[in-house]
Amino acid sequence: MSIDRHSGLPFMKMHGLGNDFVVLDGRARAISVSAGLAVALGNRRTGIGFDQLALIEQGEGGADARLTFWNADGSFSAACGNATRCIARFLMDETGRDRLHLVTARGDLYAVDAGDGLTSVNMGQPQLDWDEIPLAEEMDTLELPIEGGPTATGMGNPHCTFFVENAEAVPLEQFGPRYEHHPLYPERTNVQVASVIGPDHLRMRVWERGAGLTLASGSSSCAAAVAAARRGLTGRKVRVDLDGGTLWIDWREDGVWMTGPTTHVCDGVITADFLGGVA
């Protein structure tokens, strides 16, 4: 691990509607993140605590930066919408620019300053075919052969959206893990329960793959909005109310745009002693 264990490792703590992240800036020096480091830092009692860990690196081919994400259980995640927005806001503030080109394992993502302190990111086109999400076998992704008939969507990571009468009444701590590990999802899945409030309004709660119950999820909000539009429950532009606040999703011709607030909580340094104990 190319980290100076004597001087420690600087980090930033950020969140988007309570969906929280530890962010490492590897642009000036190389930082090699292991699953062990992600697990250790992600522990809310003995580490720092987060839903996802994010690494910023220098962009290539004209991109402003490359972003890589890990879940709190150490697993890799190709996409993390709220972390992308948080980092985009940080980079905009740093450079004075109002639009950015970011690269992730999901692909090229574009971020813009939406005004009034809000940041928008184009999360790309949704993945609607079974093998892109991926599912274990070929099937119609609009209504899966699972009790409740959820919709499967890929946003660089897999999603399973249940439309229910009252999202707040679902015991998500038990419901989420049951479907995160469903055999139809070989790479596990994020699980959403969503209620339709109106033709442009969803109330949604989220169980995140590798992180558990979260106050918000950007990619989950995109997936639920896409699923609702595909099923004719809403239009393609919706407000999504989560436990932590509100995101605005707009499924346009060029991709799924997500807009919302971000918070840069603090900066700190992970000590050499802590790093020395990481496997």
Side-chain angles (χ1 to χ4, degrees):
M1 184 186 304
S2 55
I3 296 172
D4 186 344
R5 296 182 184 274
H6 298 289
S7 62
L9 178 64
F11 73 93
M12 297 176 281
K13 185 71 185 283
M14 302 178 178
H15 76 84
L17 304 178
N19 186 197
D20 66 328
F21 319 104
V22 164
V23 180
L24 306 177
D25 192 344
R27 291 175 296 169
R29 59 169 174 164
I31 299 174
S32 178
V33 176
S34 65
L37 178 62
V39 170
L41 289 177
N43 190 302
R44 295 189 183 276
R45 291 187 178 274
T46 60
I48 301 171
F50 55 73
D51 291 325
Q52 278 80 34
L53 173 68
L55 174 65
I56 310 172
E57 295 177 294
Q58 292 288 355
E60 299 176 352
D64 295 296
R66 170 178 289 277
L67 309 183
T68 310
F69 309 105
W70 291 263
N71 295 312
D73 68 353
S75 60
F76 172 77
S77 180
C80 184
N82 279 329
T84 301
R85 287 191 311 100
C86 286
I87 294 168
R89 172 54 57 188
F90 165 73
L91 294 174
M92 287 179 191
D93 290 345
E94 179 184 72
T95 62
R97 296 171 57 189
D98 62 2
R99 57 187 58 241
L100 297 170
H101 172 194
L102 305 172
V103 175
T104 70
R106 161 74 163 137
D108 294 303
L109 305 182
Y110 296 88
V112 300
D113 182 348
D116 296 324
L118 303 179
T119 305
S120 296
V121 171
N122 183 349
M123 293 296 292
Q125 293 292 352
Q127 298 155 312
L128 306 179
D129 294 334
W130 71 274
D131 54 341
E132 293 181 321
I133 291 170
L135 299 177
E137 57 188 87
E138 184 173 0
M139 66 186 65
D140 181 3
T141 62
L142 189 62
E143 189 168 341
L144 300 181
I146 296 174
E147 183 180 1
T151 297
T153 311
M155 290 301 308
N157 49 6
H159 296 270
C160 183
T161 306
F162 292 82
F163 291 98
V164 300
E165 183 174 345
N166 182 1
E168 296 184 15
V170 176
L172 204 52
E173 294 87 347
Q174 293 78 43
F175 187 89
R178 184 191 320 162
Y179 293 103
E180 176 189 355
H181 298 275
H182 195 281
L184 281 183
Y185 285 90
E187 297 179 5
R188 298 184 295 163
T189 185
N190 298 278
V191 180
Q192 303 92 36
V193 291
S195 303
V196 179
I197 306 302
D200 60 355
H201 192 181
L202 296 175
R203 170 68 172 105
M204 189 185 80
R205 299 177 64 224
V206 183
W207 178 271
E208 280 198 319
R209 174 185 67 162
L213 188 65
T214 61
L215 294 179
S217 169
S219 62
S220 289
S221 297
C222 292
V226 167
R230 289 180 67 202
R231 294 177 75 137
L233 301 174
T234 67
R236 292 166 67 105
K237 186 174 184 178
V238 298
R239 165 181 172 167
V240 181
D241 290 339
L242 301 121
D243 289 348
T246 298
L247 291 172
W248 290 267
I249 310 298
D250 190 359
W251 183 12
R252 306 178 195 169
E253 292 300 317
D254 63 344
V256 184
W257 284 85
M258 172 184 54
T259 302
T262 62
T263 301
H264 185 154
V265 179
C266 65
D267 298 336
V269 177
I270 304 161
T271 67
D273 285 346
F274 182 90
L275 294 171
V278 175

